[in-house]
Amino acid sequence: MDWPGVIEYYREFLPVSSRTPIITLKEGNTPLIPSRYLGNLLGKRFQVYFKYEGLNPTGSFKDRGMTMAVSKACEEKAEAIICASTGNTSASAACYAARAGIKCFVLVPRGYIALGKLSQALVHGAKVLEIEGNFDVCLEMVREITQKYPITLVNSLNPYRIEGQKTASFEICDTLGEAPDFQIMPVGNAGNITAYWKGYKEYYANRKIKSLPRMVGFQAEGAAPIVKKKIIAHPRTIATAIRIGNPASWKKAEQARDESGGVIDMVSDRQIIYAYKLLAQHEGIFVEPASAASVAGLLKLVKMGYFKTRKLNKPITKIVCILTGQGLKDPALVMKAISKPKRISANFRKIVNELGY
Ligand code: F0G
């Protein structure tokens, strides 16, 4: 089958009509990859899967929401879109705006955007402004701009973004034939956890699944406003994608956690890097650091005995970790956090020695 993109495939669940021009790059339909390494750590009663969202057209889950937001913006005859971003939203917005033939403006925190993401926004022709301030400041600015000027906001405050992103939970259920028992994901501005939970609830209401997952979110320790129950004025983390101190969908993330009986917790940068390496070196999956927060979180939960204290009355417990973005977006981190290649002269003996022969 030729995959038509998330809007056509899940049309009955989305607010589109025959008047909506569908702007798509055939996003979605990303693989649900069974773990070969982590699963063993948990034992036979557990199955761990990775939803690899890095395989979307611009390398992150944002494309699911952006196809909806930009299609609706075009239906409403918008001439320009704008977003604040830690990188991925801007890459996706710029890309879909180019596809639609409309203008795109982007506000990003100066110095805290991975080079791959910045390059994407630029190459797709967006007007990129680097702001002396963090993501939360950028978001405040774009909110004010869109109140005063005819530019469509495409951050996840735009409800169409959430509508598009919820299709990822549909795909997980369609692949597994049921909902997972636990879903673990990174949390930044908290739009994605909101979207997944909405998707699961809609599938449940439509009797496509018989149970709902527990929603488990992880923030970075230095940027964990939901866990610490207070706004973080100066968020800090190596995972720049989730370097956010005042998430727009804060309340909705708490709602997803509480309605599902899940948890929102935090992991340190050290734990994120450990999981980042583990995914790359034992699972063969290269993700960006923010995405590794979900696996760092899973390891933390296992260590805490979290799964032992939950009633698991099915023979097999299914856990899905969302890997939100592609590792190639932030290659500089590899050189910083993992290692640099070794320099050596073009001498046969020296090279062979170095290889350990
Ligand atoms: N993972 C990645 C790779 C992200 O880019 C983001 C958010 C998240 C996780 C968190 O998702 O914000 O819905 O809770 N990136 C936004 C951006 C903020 O501007 O690209 P969230």
Side-chain angles (χ1 to χ4, degrees):
M1 186 193 79
D2 181 33
W3 174 259
V6 297
I7 297 181
E8 289 301 352
Y9 196 80
Y10 292 111
R11 188 175 259 275
E12 61 184 302
F13 291 96
L14 296 169
V16 288
S17 72
S18 55
R19 284 178 298 108
T20 317
I22 308 299
I23 312 299
T24 180
L25 285 152
K26 307 216 172 187
E27 57 297 308
N29 196 24
T30 56
L32 190 67
I33 305 171
S35 159
R36 65 161 285 278
Y37 180 81
L38 271 179
N40 295 342
L41 295 182
L42 277 113
K44 285 203 170 55
R45 288 191 50 238
F46 291 87
Q47 278 171 4
V48 177
Y49 297 87
F50 304 114
K51 181 70 172 161
Y52 192 19
E53 288 289 279
L55 295 187
N56 276 298
T58 73
S60 87
F61 69 95
K62 305 285 180 180
D63 298 339
R64 294 179 183 276
M66 213 50 79
T67 183
M68 268 300 301
V70 173
S71 295
K72 293 304 280 189
C74 289
E75 181 179 341
E76 287 151 19
K77 306 273 182 284
E79 51 185 70
I81 59 172
I82 189 168
C83 65
S85 184
T86 57
N88 282 322
T89 300
S90 64
S92 186
C95 168
Y96 281 79
R99 182 90 183 165
I102 58 175
K103 273 190 278 188
C104 179
F105 304 116
V106 162
L107 269 62
V108 296
R110 195 177 78 82
Y112 292 95
I113 299 292
L115 186 59
K117 302 175 189 180
L118 194 57
S119 316
Q120 287 178 287
L122 291 167
V123 81
H124 288 303
K127 172 104 184 167
V128 179
L129 302 179
E130 292 188 320
I131 309 298
E132 298 287 347
N134 61 31
F135 170 85
D136 305 288
V137 172
C138 296
L139 186 58
E140 250 172 65
M141 294 282 171
V142 300
R143 286 172 94 150
E144 194 177 337
I145 292 167
T146 52
Q147 276 159 16
K148 295 192 174 142
Y149 300 93
I151 309 175
T152 303
L153 177 76
V154 295
N155 279 103
S156 55
L157 290 160
N158 178 327
Y160 298 124
R161 280 277 312 279
I162 304 293
E163 290 297 316
Q165 282 173 213
K166 77 185 179 191
T167 59
S169 45
F170 297 165
E171 287 178 16
I172 291 172
C173 298
D174 290 345
T175 306
L176 293 177
E178 61 182 343
D181 300 287
F182 297 88
Q183 179 182 297
I184 310 181
M185 65 196 303
V187 174
N189 209 27
N192 211 26
I193 190 168
T194 303
Y196 269 96
W197 183 233
K198 185 169 198 286
Y200 284 122
K201 285 199 294 186
E202 285 181 16
Y203 247 30
Y204 186 73
N206 282 278
R207 296 174 196 281
K208 295 258 189 192
I209 49 175
K210 294 196 191 72
S211 62
L212 289 163
R214 287 179 195 263
M215 301 296 290
V216 181
F218 277 92
Q219 302 198 289
E221 221 167 67
I226 300 177
V227 182
K228 295 183 175 161
K229 300 193 180 77
K230 60 166 200 240
I231 293 171
I232 308 293
H234 303 289
R236 295 164 68 103
T237 170
I238 196 166
T240 52
I242 51 171
R243 187 176 166 271
I244 294 174
N246 187 12
S249 300
W250 189 325
K251 286 269 140 23
K252 288 182 179 153
E254 288 179 338
Q255 205 182 324
R257 175 195 65 195
D258 298 340
E259 286 177 7
S260 72
V263 61
I264 296 180
D265 197 350
M266 59 189 179
V267 282
S268 67
D269 281 3
R270 205 174 45 78
Q271 289 171 308
I272 290 175
I273 294 291
Y274 180 84
Y276 172 78
K277 243 170 120 166
L278 181 151
L279 272 168
Q281 299 181 359
H282 294 285
E283 300 284 4
I285 306 176
F286 185 21
V287 298
E288 63 170 287
S291 308
S294 58
V295 171
L298 173 61
L299 293 171
K300 179 171 178 180
L301 294 179
V302 171
K303 221 173 180 176
M304 284 164 51
Y306 175 82
F307 297 105
K308 285 196 190 117
T309 58
R310 297 290 172 291
K311 268 224 174 70
L312 307 170
N313 40 23
K314 291 193 334 198
I316 297 288
T317 299
K318 292 183 180 172
I319 302 172
V320 173
C321 293
I322 312 298
L323 303 181
T324 47
Q326 163 68 249
L328 287 169
K329 284 174 175 277
D330 196 359
L333 183 76
V334 178
M335 306 297 159
K336 252 193 280 171
I338 313 289
S339 66
K340 289 200 171 62
K342 184 157 188 164
R343 281 197 189 169
I344 186 160
S345 55
N347 175 302
F348 181 82
R349 214 39 275 154
K350 276 194 186 158
I351 292 171
V352 170
N353 268 347
E354 196 56 50
L355 300 181
Y357 291 95

